[in-house]
């Protein structure tokens, strides 16, 4: 499943910092991380899910659970894939990506958990900090948020 890039922030409001460059729609490096996340979720593969995160990543769930490192993140998602998220699919829509440096990016994403029962999808919003480590980008910090119901 391909990750979607919408509403890209093309204006740099931090004009005094010439190191900040926004990412264009065709940024394959950042998109690849979320494509891998979707594929891992589709296969209920917690180990593959953990591999999109760095060994020292910080992850805060929508329930404010905090996990440190790719192994804890994988383990937590393994429990979810075996229980409440069994049979679900993840669709990640990247809303905005900003490169802070060539090797650091911040992504704002919509995470839609597709639940088999019609009308029951779970929509969450996330912020990810990605860093190029060796040959590819990995998520080093991620926070999921649930919109407030009005």
């Amino acid at each position: 499943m391909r990750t979607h890039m919408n509403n890209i922030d093309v204006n740099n409001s931090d004009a005094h910092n010439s190191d900040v460059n926004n990412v264009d729609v065709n940024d394959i490096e950042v998109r690849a991380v979320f494509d891998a996340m979707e594929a891992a979720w589709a296969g209920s593969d917690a180990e593959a899910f953990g591999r999109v995160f760095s060994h020292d990543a910080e992850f805060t769930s929508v329930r404010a659970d905090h996990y440190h490192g790719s192994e804890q993140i994988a383990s937590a998602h393994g429990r979810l894939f075996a229980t409440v998220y069994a049979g679900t699919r993840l669709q990640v829509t990247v809303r905005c990506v900003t490169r802070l440096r060539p090797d650091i990016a911040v992504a704002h994403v919509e995470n839609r958990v597709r639940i088999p029962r019609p009308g029951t999808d779970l929509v969450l919003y996330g912020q990810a900090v990605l860093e190029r480590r060796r040959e590819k980008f990995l998520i080093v910090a991620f926070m999921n948020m649930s919109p407030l119901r009005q």
Side-chain angles (χ1 to χ4, degrees):
M1 186 181 292
R2 288 299 292 164
T3 304
H4 310 283
M5 301 276 292
N6 294 327
N7 302 329
I8 301 301
D9 181 7
V10 295
N11 296 315
N12 180 5
S13 62
D14 191 5
H16 68 277
N17 186 348
S18 62
D19 292 338
V20 176
N21 295 303
N22 290 309
V23 176
D24 68 34
V25 173
N26 298 313
D27 189 311
I28 295 168
E29 292 177 301
V30 172
R31 290 178 64 130
V33 174
F34 295 105
D35 288 344
M37 180 183 280
E38 286 180 334
W41 191 291
S44 298
D45 187 341
E47 287 184 23
F49 190 87
R51 284 194 295 271
V52 304
F53 296 89
S54 66
H55 70 91
D56 57 348
E58 299 294 330
F59 184 99
T60 304
S61 77
V62 70
R63 292 173 303 283
D65 299 319
H66 184 79
Y67 303 102
H68 178 76
S70 56
E71 288 182 14
Q72 283 186 8
I73 295 165
S75 178
H77 282 81
R79 289 188 297 274
L80 292 171
F81 295 155
T83 57
V84 296
Y85 289 154
T88 64
R89 296 277 188 253
L90 178 67
Q91 178 183 345
V92 179
T93 302
V94 178
R95 296 293 182 193
C96 178
V97 177
T98 303
R99 285 276 182 117
L100 302 178
R101 295 189 325 227
D103 61 334
I104 301 282
V106 176
H108 292 254
V109 297
E110 178 183 289
N111 296 315
R112 182 175 294 271
V113 179
R114 299 278 185 186
I115 299 172
R117 294 177 309 278
T120 58
D121 288 357
L122 175 64
V123 179
L124 303 170
Y125 296 90
Q127 180 170 308
V129 178
L130 301 97
E131 181 178 29
R132 184 179 293 114
R133 301 250 176 124
R134 298 188 184 172
E135 299 296 317
K136 64 181 181 177
F137 271 88
L138 295 173
I139 298 171
V140 296
F142 190 89
M143 179 178 283
N144 252 332
M145 296 157 269
S146 179
L148 290 176
R149 290 197 163 81
Q150 302 283 329

